[in-house]
Amino acid sequence: MKPETSDPRVEHAASLIRNVPDFPKPGIQFKDITPLLGDSGAFEGVIDVLAESAPAGIDAVCGVESRGFLFGAPLALRLGVGFVPIRKPGKLPGTVVEEHFDLEYGSSVLAMHIDGIQAGQRVLLVDDLLATGGTLCASGKLIHRLGAEVAQVQVVIELADLGGRANLATCGLNEVLALLQTP
């Protein structure tokens, strides 16, 4: 993995992420972020870099279940805005809006409270990893359906060879920051 920036905080984070072959199924090279999360200085450094890279005027941070919560919630606190979870169906009480989408190995659904964000707000959309872009594209559609704008997508890791960034552009998500990229 190569850092998108020469920031030593990002370089340190990259050194902590390990590859786990054949997880969760054969042929998948899983990016394990738990060593990064276990190093408080490295974790704080990642949150700092994400906060410093956020556009001005963010009204809320939306994090995608489940590892997007790990970065989105502390980032929202750092930015002084609320955190809005985007979850799998049946996990949120109250009225939700849902988005069905395809993944590289099946299909899924994401849900968000209809009152989680307001029309006209500028939202920072956060997840741990960008692969093909299906999950983030569906999340962006949920945010747009509620009348808000995705000001930027932030991920810690981008699997660049899977074309997720280009797929996000087809969903109107053009502002993408990845701290680390695989070749």
Side-chain angles (χ1 to χ4, degrees):
M1 257 181 304
K2 65 176 182 151
E4 197 169 89
T5 173
S6 63
D7 190 307
R9 297 170 294 183
V10 177
E11 292 172 1
H12 181 55
S15 74
L16 296 171
I17 297 169
R18 64 181 165 211
N19 288 325
V20 180
D22 299 320
F23 183 83
K25 65 181 198 171
I28 301 292
Q29 190 76 247
F30 186 78
K31 303 298 182 195
D32 183 9
I33 61 169
T34 56
L36 165 61
L37 298 172
D39 182 317
S40 65
F43 187 25
E44 182 177 29
V46 165
I47 298 304
D48 288 343
V49 172
L50 292 173
E52 293 162 10
S53 303
I58 296 297
D59 299 302
V61 173
C62 288
V64 184
E65 186 167 334
S66 64
R67 296 188 312 171
F69 297 175
L70 299 171
F71 296 98
L75 181 57
L77 287 172
R78 183 69 46 87
L79 294 174
V81 299
F83 175 76
V84 181
I86 297 176
R87 303 220 47 198
K88 294 175 183 168
K91 301 288 184 182
L92 293 170
T95 307
V96 299
V97 59
E98 292 184 340
E99 184 69 34
H100 297 259
F101 65 102
D102 292 325
L103 294 166
E104 57 271 19
Y105 48 84
S107 62
S108 192
V109 180
L110 289 174
M112 184 175 172
H113 278 133
I114 62 167
D115 60 355
I117 54 175
Q118 307 303 311
Q121 286 188 316
R122 289 173 41 83
V123 173
L124 186 60
L125 178 57
V126 178
D127 206 354
D128 69 314
L129 184 115
L130 169 58
T132 62
T135 301
L136 285 164
C137 186
S139 299
K141 288 179 181 179
L142 286 171
I143 292 165
H144 288 133
R145 283 174 53 194
L146 294 175
E149 168 197 352
V150 177
Q152 187 181 53
V153 174
Q154 290 188 346
V155 296
V156 177
I157 304 166
E158 177 182 1
L159 305 179
D161 58 337
L162 296 181
R165 193 177 289 247
N167 290 337
L168 291 182
T170 66
C171 299
L173 301 175
N174 296 305
E175 296 298 321
V176 180
L177 171 78
L179 295 186
L180 302 165
Q181 291 182 327
T182 61

